[in-house]
Amino acid sequence: MGEAPVIYDEEQTLRTKNELTNILNNMGYMGAYVYTTTQMNHKKANITYHIISGKPYIIKSVCKEIDDSVVAKIVNKDSTESLHHVGMRLDINVLENERTRITKLLTSNGFYQFNKEYITYSADTVRDSKDVGLTIHIAPYKTLPDGTIICHRQFSIKNVKFITDYNPLHPERINSEKNDSIIYKGYPIIFKNKSPLKPHVLYNNNYIKKGDLYSENLTQKTYSALNRLSALKYTAIKYDIDPIDTTALNCSILMNKAKSQSISFELEGTNSEGDLGMAGAISSQHRNLFHGSEDLTIKLKCDYE
């Protein structure tokens, strides 16, 4: 019953003080100061944290340094969606969120190998001033020792195939001679014995199309669409760089079907205005009735009082 008492610990108090200071610094209050006062009264301690925030650092200018012209064009075109702007506090959390936003923007425009570690910031301040000149740096894919810059590559989708009987424990069976396949609208569907879903169901729930640029956004959209199909238990999307065209990706959509039929039983006691009784139920579920991930549930319930 209740909560255990919190034992006073000077080390924990110091840790909390430092954590508060870090939070204030991340919010732009670089000169913030936190101190504590402790009052002891009959083996009880009252701790007060005093916060002196001071004035925050304010962003007075924002500029970008991007050596890659294609990346610069995409980022500059989307600059109205930027999370930081002139006049706001120098909030580290906002800067980190902006790195994530730019990364999602580029990975949804073909830049398969891009990650947020390529994005850094530098902040210039004037002495005795809280004004900050913020610069966003987006580094190229690689810089060689002789100074040659290698730009980030935009990848397009070359091939997309569906593998409906993928087993994570035996991935080598993908290319087994025992597998059958059909081609639906140019998309191979590989299966063993029989495809668990009709070809048009797989096609309509896939947003990764041949010839399009790679898009992380469309990849996640395809994940969500396939995961909503009750006939599937497992879904994974794998990309491989084409060995001939190094700016193209081959996509494999890997699936594992769920058990199509199941039966469950329920047993419960009932009490209706003092009348005791029992209730039992049996339900049968079919998750892929017409091979289109249709879900049919039949339930029979019987009560006795």
Side-chain angles (χ1 to χ4, degrees), residues 4 55 77 131 196 218 287:
K55 293 183 178 180
K77 185 178 179 180
D131 296 341
L218 294 180
R287 298 182 180 87

Side-chain angles (χ1 to χ4, degrees), residues 30 57-63 65 90-92 95 120-126 129-137:
M30 304 300 181
Y57 282 78
I58 302 297
I59 298 176
K60 288 299 180 181
S61 65
V62 179
C63 62
E65 287 189 3
L90 184 65
D91 193 321
I92 303 300
L95 301 187
T120 57
Y121 292 95
S122 61
D124 295 327
T125 58
V126 180
S129 172
K130 300 292 184 179
D131 296 341
V132 177
L134 185 68
T135 303
I136 307 169
H137 306 271

Side-chain angles (χ1 to χ4, degrees), residues 32-44:
Y33 177 68
V34 180
Y35 68 94
T36 62
T37 56
T38 305
Q39 293 180 340
M40 299 293 185
N41 183 19
H42 301 293
K43 295 186 178 181
K44 290 185 177 181

Side-chain angles (χ1 to χ4, degrees), residues 72-301:
K73 183 178 179 180
I74 294 173
V75 173
N76 290 331
K77 185 178 179 180
D78 195 65
S79 59
T80 55
E81 301 296 326
S82 176
L83 301 179
H84 47 56
H85 53 82
V86 173
M88 68 173 288
R89 282 184 288 107
L90 184 65
D91 193 321
I92 303 300
N93 300 310
V94 175
L95 301 187
E96 184 63 24
N97 291 337
E98 176 68 3
R99 290 177 72 203
T100 301
R101 189 194 69 83
I102 293 176
T103 301
K104 287 183 178 179
L105 172 67
L106 293 174
T107 54
S108 293
N109 280 275
F111 293 95
Y112 171 66
Q113 296 177 318
F114 191 88
N115 61 72
K116 69 178 183 179
E117 301 306 318
Y118 289 105
I119 305 173
T120 57
Y121 292 95
S122 61
D124 295 327
T125 58
V126 180
R127 180 180 296 180
D128 299 328
S129 172
K130 300 292 184 179
D131 296 341
V132 177
L134 185 68
T135 303
I136 307 169
H137 306 271
I138 301 182
Y141 177 69
K142 190 181 295 184
T143 302
L144 300 179
D146 62 358
T148 303
I149 292 176
I150 299 177
C151 295
H152 295 278
R153 289 182 292 175
Q154 275 184 302
F155 289 83
S156 59
I157 305 299
K158 184 176 182 180
N159 294 302
V160 180
K161 63 181 177 182
F162 299 92
I163 300 172
T164 62
D165 288 290
Y166 176 73
N167 187 343
L169 300 179
H170 300 283
E172 72 281 355
R173 295 180 184 174
I174 290 178
N175 299 317
S176 173
E177 295 180 355
K178 297 180 180 180
N179 291 335
D180 297 321
S181 66
I182 60 173
I183 296 178
Y184 181 80
K185 294 187 177 182
Y187 293 79
I189 301 174
I190 301 171
F191 52 87
K192 186 177 181 181
N193 299 326
K194 187 178 181 180
S195 176
L197 292 168
K198 293 178 180 178
H200 76 272
V201 175
L202 296 175
Y203 180 84
N204 292 338
N205 285 280
N206 170 44
Y207 298 91
I208 306 167
K209 303 301 182 182
K210 293 193 298 183
D212 290 351
L213 288 175
Y214 164 80
S215 173
E216 177 64 21
N217 184 37
L218 294 180
T219 300
Q220 295 301 322
K221 192 174 180 180
T222 301
Y223 263 122
S224 298
L226 293 174
N227 287 334
R228 285 195 295 267
L229 300 178
S230 59
L232 299 177
K233 178 176 69 174
Y234 171 87
T235 305
I237 299 176
K238 180 183 177 184
Y239 290 98
D240 295 300
I241 299 176
D242 190 80
I244 299 175
D245 184 357
T246 56
T247 61
L249 295 172
N250 294 314
C251 176
S252 299
I253 301 178
L254 312 173
M255 295 166 283
N256 189 276
K257 61 183 179 181
K259 289 183 178 180
S260 59
Q261 300 184 57
S262 64
I263 298 177
S264 60
F265 301 91
E266 298 176 20
L267 185 65
E268 60 183 15
T270 63
N271 184 349
S272 178
E273 296 182 356
D275 295 328
L276 301 179
M278 296 288 292
I282 180 172
S283 60
S284 174
Q285 184 179 30
H286 198 302
R287 298 182 180 87
N288 196 20
L289 187 62
F290 302 112
H291 297 284
S293 195
E294 300 89 357
D295 199 342
L296 173 66
T297 302
I298 300 175
K299 185 175 182 179
L300 177 64
K301 185 176 181 181

